[in-house]
Amino acid sequence: MTQASRFAGGLASLAAGAALAFVATRSLREARSAPAIGKHVAAARAFNHGSALLALSVLADSAMEHYRGGFENRAMYAALASAAAALGASLHGSADRTEASHALRHAIQLGATATGTAGTAFHLYNVGKRPGGWSWHNLFYGAPAGAPFALLLSGALGAIAEQLRDEPEHDPRLFGLPAGKALALVASAGLLGTAAEAALLHFRGSYQHPAMYAPVTVAPIGAALLAHAALAAPTQARRLGGFARLWLRLTSALGFAGAGFHANGVARAQGGWRNWSQNLLAGPPLPAPPAFSALALAGLAALRMRETER
């Protein structure tokens, strides 16, 4: 493949990412402009959107990775079941305009959080017990901690959305903090964790394509802007809100564009998409990059709430 064709493929991926990000953020703008619901319900629905996108990413990623592992451990099925349930609960919550939480949805999301926590611990244990213990080689090729961590984040976003619905509209609070501040801190931490996973895997790939630097630079800056909005006075958050929103929208587009770049990576492998059954498993993971989009969407909702707080 020539340099020109690679550049053209990159441009096409960026264009597709921008289009998909526009579609994904449209529902957030509709929720913000809807007069029939309070700001806390609009933010809850936005967190449901992010939770659904993360759950879909985890469902596809864990299905491929655990299939590659032959479902050697029966617990591997738990990730698929939990991600599928969290996806359904999040989609149901994103369409729910009521102010009361839903007990079944809340239980499913808490279950996804617990499953993600256990999966992360199990994957880290798997890395440590391999010959050589904790080494770069085992971190690169052992059980990836990123997928169960994404399930943990999906469940956490969904559970927070349910808790937020039960808060009073005039002064919603979470974890003893103003809701916008708490939501921004959660989204910021999620972006940092996802960027760390991308940094590890792209380091394994020797950053052979310049675009591989994007998620480890753009996402941490977005996380820093969110953390600043959370910790600064609301007046400062409002003053810098325009730049932060622009950067988070860029992060959202980055997630979808990353899926396009990964699809291009699969196409460049021996046999391309004609040999999809092998190249999808061996190539760059298609479902992973949209996790950035999911957390950026949640960050946008948190930023809007933070700017209205006194």
Coordinates of all heavy atoms in Angstrom, one line a residue, residues 30-133:
E30 N -30.5 17.4 21.6 CA -32.0 17.4 21.8 C -32.4 17.3 23.2 O -33.3 17.9 23.7 CB -32.5 16.1 21.0 CG -32.4 16.3 19.5 CD -32.8 15.0 18.8 OE1 -33.0 14.0 19.5 OE2 -32.9 15.0 17.5
A31 N -31.6 16.5 24.0 CA -31.9 16.4 25.4 C -31.7 17.7 26.1 O -32.5 18.1 27.0 CB -31.0 15.3 26.1
R32 N -30.7 18.5 25.7 CA -30.4 19.8 26.4 C -31.5 20.8 26.1 O -31.9 21.6 26.9 CB -29.1 20.3 25.9 CG -28.7 21.7 26.5 CD -27.4 22.1 26.0 NE -27.3 22.2 24.6 CZ -26.2 22.6 24.0 NH1 -25.1 23.0 24.6 NH2 -26.2 22.7 22.6
S33 N -32.1 20.7 24.8 CA -33.1 21.7 24.4 C -34.5 21.3 24.8 O -35.4 22.1 24.7 CB -33.0 21.9 22.9 OG -33.3 20.7 22.2
A34 N -34.7 20.1 25.3 CA -36.1 19.6 25.6 C -36.5 20.3 26.9 O -35.9 20.1 28.0 CB -36.1 18.1 25.8
P35 N -37.6 21.1 26.8 CA -38.1 21.8 28.0 C -38.8 20.9 29.0 O -39.1 21.3 30.1 CB -39.0 22.9 27.5 CG -39.5 22.3 26.2 CD -38.5 21.4 25.7
A36 N -39.2 19.7 28.6 CA -40.1 18.9 29.4 C -39.3 18.2 30.5 O -39.9 17.6 31.4 CB -40.9 17.9 28.6
I37 N -38.0 18.1 30.5 CA -37.3 17.4 31.5 C -36.2 18.3 32.1 O -35.8 19.3 31.5 CB -36.5 16.2 30.8 CG1 -35.6 16.6 29.7 CG2 -37.5 15.2 30.3 CD1 -34.8 15.5 29.1
G38 N -35.9 18.0 33.3 CA -34.9 18.8 34.1 C -33.5 18.5 33.6 O -33.2 17.5 32.9
K39 N -32.6 19.4 34.0 CA -31.2 19.3 33.6 C -30.6 18.0 34.1 O -29.7 17.4 33.4 CB -30.4 20.5 34.0 CG -30.3 20.6 35.5 CD -29.4 21.8 35.9 CE -29.3 21.9 37.4 NZ -28.5 23.1 37.8
H40 N -31.0 17.5 35.3 CA -30.4 16.3 35.8 C -30.9 15.1 35.1 O -30.1 14.1 34.9 CB -30.7 16.2 37.3 CG -32.1 16.0 37.7 ND1 -33.1 16.9 37.2 CD2 -32.8 15.0 38.4 CE1 -34.3 16.4 37.7 NE2 -34.1 15.4 38.4
V41 N -32.1 15.1 34.6 CA -32.6 14.0 33.7 C -31.9 14.0 32.4 O -31.6 12.9 31.9 CB -34.1 14.1 33.6 CG1 -34.6 12.9 32.7 CG2 -34.8 14.0 34.9
A42 N -31.7 15.2 31.8 CA -31.0 15.3 30.5 C -29.6 14.7 30.7 O -29.1 14.0 29.8 CB -31.0 16.7 30.1
A43 N -28.9 15.1 31.8 CA -27.6 14.6 32.0 C -27.6 13.0 32.3 O -26.7 12.3 31.8 CB -26.9 15.3 33.3
A44 N -28.6 12.5 33.0 CA -28.7 11.1 33.2 C -28.9 10.4 31.9 O -28.2 9.3 31.6 CB -29.9 10.8 34.1
R45 N -29.7 10.9 31.0 CA -29.9 10.3 29.7 C -28.6 10.3 28.8 O -28.2 9.4 28.1 CB -31.0 11.0 28.9 CG -32.4 10.8 29.5 CD -33.4 11.6 28.8 NE -33.7 11.0 27.5 CZ -34.2 11.6 26.4 NH1 -34.6 12.8 26.6 NH2 -34.4 11.0 25.3
A46 N -27.8 11.4 29.0 CA -26.5 11.5 28.3 C -25.6 10.5 28.8 O -24.8 9.8 28.0 CB -26.0 12.9 28.4
F47 N -25.6 10.2 30.1 CA -24.7 9.2 30.7 C -25.2 7.8 30.2 O -24.3 6.9 30.1 CB -24.7 9.3 32.2 CG -23.5 10.1 32.7 CD1 -23.2 11.4 32.3 CD2 -22.6 9.5 33.6 CE1 -22.2 12.1 32.7 CE2 -21.5 10.2 34.0 CZ -21.3 11.5 33.6
N48 N -26.5 7.6 30.1 CA -27.0 6.4 29.5 C -26.5 6.2 28.1 O -26.1 5.0 27.7 CB -28.5 6.4 29.5 CG -29.1 6.1 30.9 OD1 -30.0 6.7 31.3 ND2 -28.6 5.1 31.5
H49 N -26.4 7.2 27.3 CA -25.8 7.1 25.9 C -24.4 6.6 26.0 O -24.0 5.7 25.3 CB -25.9 8.5 25.2 CG -27.3 9.0 25.0 ND1 -27.6 10.3 24.9 CD2 -28.5 8.3 24.9 CE1 -28.9 10.5 24.7 NE2 -29.4 9.3 24.7
G50 N -23.6 7.3 26.9 CA -22.2 6.9 27.0 C -22.1 5.4 27.5 O -21.2 4.7 27.0
S51 N -22.9 5.1 28.5 CA -22.9 3.7 29.0 C -23.2 2.7 27.9 O -22.6 1.6 27.8 CB -23.9 3.6 30.2 OG -23.9 2.3 30.6
A52 N -24.2 3.0 27.1 CA -24.6 2.1 26.0 C -23.5 1.9 25.0 O -23.2 0.8 24.6 CB -25.9 2.6 25.3
L53 N -22.8 3.0 24.6 CA -21.7 2.9 23.6 C -20.6 2.1 24.2 O -19.9 1.3 23.5 CB -21.3 4.3 23.2 CG -20.2 4.4 22.1 CD1 -20.7 3.6 20.9 CD2 -19.9 5.8 21.8
L54 N -20.2 2.3 25.5 CA -19.2 1.5 26.1 C -19.6 0.0 26.2 O -18.8 -0.8 26.0 CB -18.9 2.1 27.6 CG -17.9 3.1 27.7 CD1 -17.9 3.7 29.1 CD2 -16.5 2.6 27.3
A55 N -20.8 -0.2 26.6 CA -21.3 -1.6 26.7 C -21.2 -2.3 25.3 O -20.8 -3.5 25.3 CB -22.7 -1.7 27.2
L56 N -21.6 -1.6 24.3 CA -21.5 -2.2 22.9 C -20.1 -2.5 22.6 O -19.8 -3.6 22.0 CB -22.1 -1.2 21.9 CG -22.1 -1.7 20.5 CD1 -22.9 -3.0 20.3 CD2 -22.7 -0.6 19.6
S57 N -19.2 -1.6 22.9 CA -17.7 -1.8 22.6 C -17.2 -3.0 23.4 O -16.5 -3.9 22.8 CB -17.0 -0.5 23.1 OG -15.6 -0.8 23.0
V58 N -17.6 -3.1 24.7 CA -17.1 -4.3 25.5 C -17.7 -5.6 25.0 O -17.0 -6.6 24.9 CB -17.5 -4.1 27.0 CG1 -17.2 -5.3 27.8 CG2 -16.8 -2.9 27.5
L59 N -19.0 -5.5 24.6 CA -19.7 -6.8 24.1 C -19.0 -7.3 22.8 O -18.7 -8.5 22.7 CB -21.1 -6.5 23.8 CG -22.0 -7.6 23.2 CD1 -22.0 -8.8 24.2 CD2 -23.4 -7.1 22.9
A60 N -18.7 -6.4 21.9 CA -18.0 -6.8 20.6 C -16.5 -7.3 20.9 O -16.1 -8.3 20.4 CB -18.0 -5.7 19.6
D61 N -15.9 -6.5 21.7 CA -14.4 -6.8 22.0 C -14.3 -8.1 22.8 O -13.5 -8.9 22.4 CB -13.8 -5.6 22.8 CG -12.3 -5.7 22.9 OD1 -11.7 -6.2 21.9 OD2 -11.7 -5.2 23.8
S62 N -15.1 -8.3 23.8 CA -14.9 -9.5 24.6 C -15.4 -10.7 23.9 O -14.9 -11.8 24.1 CB -15.7 -9.3 26.0 OG -17.1 -9.1 25.7
A63 N -16.4 -10.5 23.0 CA -16.8 -11.7 22.2 C -15.7 -12.2 21.3 O -15.4 -13.4 21.2 CB -18.0 -11.3 21.3
M64 N -15.0 -11.2 20.7 CA -13.9 -11.6 19.8 C -12.7 -12.2 20.6 O -12.1 -13.2 20.2 CB -13.4 -10.4 19.0 CG -14.4 -10.0 17.9 SD -13.7 -8.9 16.6 CE -13.2 -7.5 17.7
E65 N -12.3 -11.5 21.7 CA -11.2 -11.9 22.5 C -11.4 -13.3 23.2 O -10.5 -14.1 23.2 CB -10.8 -10.9 23.5 CG -10.3 -9.6 22.9 CD -9.0 -9.8 22.1 OE1 -8.2 -10.7 22.5 OE2 -8.7 -9.0 21.2
H66 N -12.6 -13.4 23.7 CA -12.9 -14.7 24.4 C -13.1 -15.8 23.4 O -12.9 -17.0 23.8 CB -14.1 -14.5 25.3 CG -13.8 -13.6 26.5 ND1 -14.8 -13.3 27.5 CD2 -12.7 -13.0 26.9 CE1 -14.2 -12.5 28.4 NE2 -12.9 -12.3 28.1
Y67 N -13.6 -15.5 22.2 CA -13.7 -16.6 21.2 C -12.3 -17.0 20.8 O -12.1 -18.2 20.6 CB -14.5 -16.0 20.0 CG -14.5 -16.9 18.8 CD1 -15.3 -18.1 18.8 CD2 -13.6 -16.7 17.7 CE1 -15.3 -18.9 17.7 CE2 -13.6 -17.6 16.6 CZ -14.5 -18.7 16.6 OH -14.5 -19.5 15.5
R68 N -11.4 -16.0 20.7 CA -10.0 -16.4 20.4 C -9.4 -17.3 21.4 O -8.6 -18.2 21.2 CB -9.2 -15.1 20.2 CG -7.8 -15.4 19.8 CD -7.0 -14.2 19.4 NE -6.9 -13.2 20.5 CZ -6.2 -12.1 20.4 NH1 -5.6 -11.7 19.2 NH2 -6.1 -11.3 21.4
G69 N -9.8 -17.0 22.7 CA -9.4 -17.9 23.8 C -10.1 -19.2 24.0 O -9.9 -19.9 24.9
G70 N -11.1 -19.4 23.1 CA -11.8 -20.7 23.1 C -12.8 -20.8 24.3 O -13.2 -21.9 24.6
F71 N -13.1 -19.7 25.0 CA -13.9 -19.7 26.2 C -13.4 -20.8 27.1 O -14.2 -21.6 27.7 CB -15.4 -19.9 25.8 CG -16.0 -18.7 25.2 CD1 -16.1 -18.6 23.8 CD2 -16.5 -17.7 25.9 CE1 -16.7 -17.5 23.2 CE2 -17.1 -16.6 25.3 CZ -17.2 -16.5 23.9
E72 N -12.1 -20.8 27.3 CA -11.5 -21.8 28.2 C -12.0 -21.8 29.6 O -12.2 -22.8 30.2 CB -10.0 -21.6 28.2 CG -9.2 -22.6 29.0 CD -7.7 -22.3 28.9 OE1 -7.3 -21.5 28.2 OE2 -7.0 -23.0 29.6
N73 N -12.3 -20.6 30.1 CA -12.9 -20.4 31.4 C -14.3 -20.1 31.3 O -14.7 -19.1 30.5 CB -12.1 -19.3 32.2 CG -12.5 -19.3 33.7 OD1 -13.6 -19.5 34.0 ND2 -11.5 -19.1 34.5
R74 N -15.2 -20.8 32.0 CA -16.7 -20.5 31.9 C -17.0 -19.1 32.3 O -18.0 -18.5 31.9 CB -17.4 -21.5 32.8 CG -17.3 -22.9 32.3 CD -18.0 -23.1 30.9 NE -17.9 -24.5 30.5 CZ -18.3 -24.9 29.3 NH1 -18.8 -24.0 28.5 NH2 -18.3 -26.2 29.0
A75 N -16.2 -18.5 33.1 CA -16.4 -17.1 33.5 C -16.3 -16.1 32.4 O -16.8 -15.0 32.5 CB -15.4 -16.7 34.6
M76 N -15.8 -16.5 31.3 CA -15.7 -15.7 30.1 C -17.1 -15.3 29.5 O -17.2 -14.3 28.9 CB -14.8 -16.3 29.0 CG -13.3 -16.4 29.3 SD -12.4 -17.2 28.0 CE -10.8 -16.9 28.4
Y77 N -18.0 -16.2 29.8 CA -19.4 -15.9 29.3 C -20.0 -14.8 30.1 O -20.9 -14.1 29.6 CB -20.2 -17.2 29.3 CG -19.9 -18.2 28.3 CD1 -19.1 -19.3 28.7 CD2 -20.2 -18.1 27.0 CE1 -18.8 -20.3 27.8 CE2 -19.9 -19.1 26.1 CZ -19.2 -20.2 26.5 OH -18.8 -21.1 25.6
A78 N -19.6 -14.6 31.3 CA -20.2 -13.6 32.2 C -20.0 -12.2 31.6 O -20.9 -11.3 31.7 CB -19.6 -13.7 33.6
A79 N -18.8 -11.9 31.0 CA -18.6 -10.6 30.4 C -19.6 -10.3 29.3 O -20.1 -9.2 29.2 CB -17.2 -10.5 29.9
L80 N -19.8 -11.3 28.5 CA -20.8 -11.1 27.3 C -22.2 -10.9 27.9 O -22.9 -10.0 27.4 CB -20.7 -12.3 26.4 CG -19.7 -12.3 25.3 CD1 -18.3 -12.5 25.9 CD2 -19.9 -13.4 24.3
A81 N -22.6 -11.7 28.8 CA -24.0 -11.6 29.4 C -24.1 -10.2 30.1 O -25.2 -9.6 29.9 CB -24.2 -12.7 30.3
S82 N -23.2 -9.8 30.9 CA -23.3 -8.6 31.6 C -23.2 -7.4 30.7 O -24.0 -6.4 30.8 CB -22.1 -8.5 32.6 OG -22.2 -7.3 33.4
A83 N -22.4 -7.4 29.6 CA -22.3 -6.3 28.7 C -23.6 -6.2 27.9 O -24.1 -5.1 27.6 CB -21.1 -6.5 27.7
A84 N -24.2 -7.3 27.5 CA -25.4 -7.3 26.7 C -26.6 -6.8 27.6 O -27.4 -6.0 27.1 CB -25.8 -8.7 26.3
A85 N -26.6 -7.2 28.9 CA -27.6 -6.6 29.8 C -27.5 -5.2 30.0 O -28.4 -4.4 30.0 CB -27.6 -7.4 31.1
A86 N -26.2 -4.7 30.2 CA -25.9 -3.3 30.4 C -26.3 -2.5 29.2 O -26.8 -1.4 29.3 CB -24.5 -3.1 30.8
L87 N -26.1 -3.0 28.0 CA -26.4 -2.3 26.8 C -28.0 -2.1 26.7 O -28.4 -1.0 26.4 CB -26.0 -3.1 25.6 CG -26.4 -2.6 24.2 CD1 -25.9 -1.2 24.0 CD2 -25.9 -3.6 23.1
G88 N -28.7 -3.2 27.0 CA -30.2 -3.1 27.0 C -30.7 -2.1 28.0 O -31.6 -1.3 27.8
A89 N -30.1 -2.1 29.2 CA -30.5 -1.2 30.3 C -30.2 0.2 29.9 O -31.0 1.1 30.2 CB -29.8 -1.6 31.6
S90 N -29.0 0.4 29.3 CA -28.6 1.8 29.0 C -29.5 2.4 27.9 O -29.9 3.5 27.9 CB -27.2 1.8 28.6 OG -26.3 1.5 29.6
L91 N -29.8 1.5 26.9 CA -30.7 2.0 25.8 C -32.1 2.3 26.3 O -32.7 3.3 25.9 CB -30.8 0.9 24.7 CG -29.5 0.7 23.9 CD1 -29.7 -0.5 22.9 CD2 -29.1 1.9 23.1
H92 N -32.6 1.5 27.3 CA -33.9 1.8 27.9 C -33.8 3.1 28.7 O -34.7 3.9 28.6 CB -34.3 0.6 28.8 CG -35.6 0.7 29.4 ND1 -35.9 1.4 30.6 CD2 -36.8 0.3 28.9 CE1 -37.2 1.4 30.8 NE2 -37.8 0.7 29.9
G93 N -32.7 3.3 29.4 CA -32.6 4.5 30.2 C -32.4 5.8 29.3 O -32.9 6.8 29.6
S94 N -31.8 5.6 28.1 CA -31.6 6.8 27.3 C -32.9 7.3 26.7 O -33.0 8.4 26.3 CB -30.6 6.4 26.1 OG -31.2 5.5 25.3
A95 N -33.9 6.4 26.6 CA -35.2 6.8 26.1 C -36.2 7.2 27.2 O -37.3 7.6 26.9 CB -35.8 5.6 25.3
D96 N -35.8 7.0 28.5 CA -36.7 7.3 29.6 C -36.5 8.7 30.0 O -35.5 9.2 30.4 CB -36.2 6.4 30.8 CG -37.2 6.5 32.0 OD1 -38.2 7.2 31.9 OD2 -37.0 5.8 33.0
R97 N -37.7 9.5 30.0 CA -37.7 10.9 30.4 C -38.2 11.1 31.8 O -38.4 12.3 32.2 CB -38.5 11.7 29.3 CG -38.0 11.5 27.9 CD -39.0 12.1 26.9 NE -39.1 13.5 27.1 CZ -38.3 14.4 26.4 NH1 -37.4 14.0 25.6 NH2 -38.5 15.7 26.6
T98 N -38.4 10.1 32.5 CA -39.0 10.3 33.9 C -37.9 10.6 34.9 O -36.7 10.4 34.6 CB -39.7 9.0 34.4 OG1 -38.7 7.9 34.4 CG2 -40.8 8.6 33.4
E99 N -38.3 11.2 36.0 CA -37.3 11.6 37.0 C -36.9 10.5 38.0 O -36.0 10.7 38.8 CB -37.8 12.9 37.7 CG -37.9 14.1 36.8 CD -38.2 15.3 37.6 OE1 -38.4 15.2 38.8 OE2 -38.3 16.4 37.0
A100 N -37.7 9.5 38.0 CA -37.4 8.4 39.0 C -36.5 7.4 38.4 O -36.5 7.1 37.2 CB -38.7 7.8 39.4
S101 N -35.6 6.8 39.3 CA -34.8 5.7 38.8 C -35.5 4.5 38.6 O -36.7 4.3 39.0 CB -33.6 5.5 39.8 OG -34.2 5.0 41.1
H102 N -34.9 3.5 37.9 CA -35.5 2.2 37.6 C -34.8 1.2 38.3 O -33.6 1.0 38.1 CB -35.5 2.0 36.1 CG -36.3 0.9 35.6 ND1 -36.0 -0.4 35.7 CD2 -37.5 0.9 34.9 CE1 -36.9 -1.2 35.2 NE2 -37.9 -0.4 34.7
A103 N -35.4 0.4 39.2 CA -34.7 -0.5 40.1 C -34.0 -1.6 39.3 O -32.8 -1.9 39.6 CB -35.7 -1.2 41.0
L104 N -34.6 -2.2 38.2 CA -34.0 -3.2 37.5 C -32.8 -2.7 36.7 O -31.7 -3.4 36.7 CB -35.0 -3.9 36.5 CG -34.5 -5.0 35.6 CD1 -33.9 -6.1 36.5 CD2 -35.6 -5.6 34.7
R105 N -33.0 -1.5 36.1 CA -31.8 -1.0 35.3 C -30.7 -0.7 36.3 O -29.5 -1.0 36.0 CB -32.2 0.4 34.7 CG -33.1 0.3 33.5 CD -33.0 1.6 32.6 NE -33.1 2.8 33.4 CZ -34.2 3.6 33.4 NH1 -35.3 3.2 32.7 NH2 -34.2 4.7 34.1
H106 N -31.0 -0.2 37.5 CA -29.9 0.1 38.4 C -29.2 -1.1 38.9 O -28.0 -1.2 39.0 CB -30.5 0.8 39.7 CG -29.6 1.6 40.4 ND1 -29.9 2.5 41.5 CD2 -28.2 1.8 40.3 CE1 -28.8 3.0 42.0 NE2 -27.8 2.6 41.3
A107 N -29.9 -2.2 39.1 CA -29.3 -3.5 39.5 C -28.4 -4.1 38.4 O -27.3 -4.6 38.7 CB -30.4 -4.5 39.9
I108 N -28.9 -3.9 37.2 CA -28.1 -4.4 36.0 C -26.8 -3.7 35.9 O -25.7 -4.3 35.7 CB -28.9 -4.3 34.7 CG1 -30.0 -5.4 34.7 CG2 -28.0 -4.5 33.5 CD1 -31.0 -5.2 33.5
Q109 N -26.9 -2.4 36.1 CA -25.6 -1.5 36.0 C -24.7 -1.8 37.1 O -23.5 -1.8 36.9 CB -26.0 -0.1 35.9 CG -26.9 0.3 34.8 CD -26.3 0.2 33.4 OE1 -25.2 -0.3 33.3 NE2 -26.9 0.8 32.4
L110 N -25.2 -2.0 38.3 CA -24.3 -2.3 39.4 C -23.7 -3.7 39.2 O -22.5 -3.9 39.5 CB -25.1 -2.3 40.7 CG -25.6 -1.0 41.2 CD1 -26.5 -1.1 42.5 CD2 -24.4 -0.1 41.6
G111 N -24.5 -4.6 38.6 CA -23.9 -5.9 38.3 C -22.8 -5.8 37.3 O -21.8 -6.5 37.3
A112 N -23.0 -5.0 36.3 CA -21.9 -4.8 35.3 C -20.7 -4.2 35.9 O -19.5 -4.5 35.5 CB -22.4 -3.9 34.1
T113 N -20.9 -3.2 36.8 CA -19.7 -2.7 37.5 C -19.0 -3.7 38.3 O -17.7 -3.8 38.3 CB -20.2 -1.6 38.5 OG1 -20.9 -0.6 37.8 CG2 -19.0 -0.9 39.2
A114 N -19.7 -4.6 39.0 CA -19.1 -5.7 39.8 C -18.4 -6.7 38.8 O -17.2 -7.1 39.1 CB -20.1 -6.4 40.6
T115 N -19.0 -7.0 37.7 CA -18.4 -7.9 36.8 C -17.1 -7.3 36.2 O -16.1 -8.0 36.0 CB -19.4 -8.3 35.6 OG1 -20.6 -8.8 36.2 CG2 -18.8 -9.3 34.6
G116 N -17.2 -6.0 35.8 CA -16.0 -5.4 35.3 C -14.9 -5.3 36.3 O -13.7 -5.5 36.0
T117 N -15.2 -5.1 37.6 CA -14.2 -5.1 38.6 C -13.5 -6.4 38.8 O -12.3 -6.6 38.8 CB -14.8 -4.6 40.0 OG1 -15.4 -3.3 39.8 CG2 -13.7 -4.6 41.1
A118 N -14.4 -7.5 38.8 CA -13.8 -8.8 38.9 C -13.0 -9.2 37.7 O -11.9 -9.9 37.8 CB -15.0 -9.8 39.1
G119 N -13.5 -8.8 36.5 CA -12.7 -9.1 35.3 C -11.4 -8.5 35.2 O -10.4 -9.0 34.8
T120 N -11.3 -7.2 35.7 CA -10.1 -6.5 35.7 C -9.1 -7.2 36.6 O -7.9 -7.4 36.3 CB -10.3 -5.0 36.1 OG1 -11.2 -4.4 35.3 CG2 -9.0 -4.3 36.2
A121 N -9.6 -7.5 37.8 CA -8.7 -8.2 38.8 C -8.2 -9.6 38.2 O -7.0 -10.0 38.4 CB -9.4 -8.5 40.1
F122 N -9.1 -10.3 37.5 CA -8.8 -11.6 37.0 C -7.8 -11.5 35.9 O -6.8 -12.2 35.8 CB -10.0 -12.3 36.5 CG -9.8 -13.7 36.0 CD1 -9.7 -14.8 36.9 CD2 -9.6 -14.0 34.6 CE1 -9.5 -16.1 36.4 CE2 -9.4 -15.3 34.2 CZ -9.3 -16.3 35.1
H123 N -7.9 -10.4 35.0 CA -7.0 -10.2 33.9 C -5.6 -9.8 34.5 O -4.6 -10.3 33.9 CB -7.5 -9.1 33.0 CG -8.5 -9.7 32.0 ND1 -8.7 -9.1 30.8 CD2 -9.4 -10.7 32.1 CE1 -9.7 -9.7 30.1 NE2 -10.1 -10.7 30.9
L124 N -5.6 -9.0 35.5 CA -4.3 -8.6 36.1 C -3.6 -9.8 36.7 O -2.4 -10.0 36.6 CB -4.5 -7.5 37.1 CG -4.9 -6.2 36.5 CD1 -5.2 -5.2 37.7 CD2 -3.9 -5.6 35.6
Y125 N -4.4 -10.7 37.4 CA -3.9 -11.9 37.9 C -3.3 -12.8 36.8 O -2.3 -13.4 37.0 CB -5.0 -12.7 38.7 CG -4.6 -14.1 39.1 CD1 -3.7 -14.3 40.2 CD2 -5.2 -15.2 38.4 CE1 -3.4 -15.6 40.5 CE2 -4.9 -16.5 38.8 CZ -4.0 -16.7 39.8 OH -3.6 -18.0 40.1
N126 N -4.0 -12.9 35.7 CA -3.6 -13.7 34.6 C -2.2 -13.2 34.1 O -1.3 -14.0 33.7 CB -4.6 -13.6 33.4 CG -4.2 -14.4 32.2 OD1 -3.5 -13.9 31.3 ND2 -4.6 -15.7 32.2
V127 N -2.0 -11.9 34.0 CA -0.7 -11.3 33.6 C 0.4 -11.7 34.6 O 1.5 -12.1 34.2 CB -0.8 -9.8 33.4 CG1 0.6 -9.2 33.2 CG2 -1.8 -9.4 32.3
G128 N 0.1 -11.6 35.9 CA 1.1 -11.8 36.9 C 1.5 -13.3 37.0 O 2.7 -13.6 37.4
K129 N 0.6 -14.2 36.6 CA 1.0 -15.7 36.8 C 1.7 -16.2 35.6 O 2.1 -17.4 35.7 CB -0.3 -16.5 37.1 CG -1.2 -16.7 35.9 CD -2.3 -17.6 36.3 CE -3.2 -18.0 35.0 NZ -4.2 -19.0 35.4
R130 N 1.8 -15.5 34.5 CA 2.5 -16.0 33.3 C 4.0 -16.1 33.6 O 4.5 -15.4 34.5 CB 2.2 -15.1 32.1 CG 0.8 -15.1 31.6 CD 0.5 -13.9 30.7 NE 1.3 -14.0 29.5 CZ 0.8 -14.6 28.3 NH1 -0.4 -15.1 28.3 NH2 1.6 -14.6 27.3
P131 N 4.7 -17.0 32.9 CA 6.2 -17.1 33.1 C 6.8 -15.7 32.9 O 6.6 -15.0 31.9 CB 6.6 -18.0 32.0 CG 5.4 -18.9 31.7 CD 4.2 -18.0 31.9
G132 N 7.6 -15.3 33.8 CA 8.2 -14.0 33.8 C 7.5 -13.0 34.6 O 8.1 -11.9 34.8
G133 N 6.3 -13.3 35.1 CA 5.6 -12.4 35.9 C 5.2 -11.1 35.2 O 4.9 -11.0 34.0

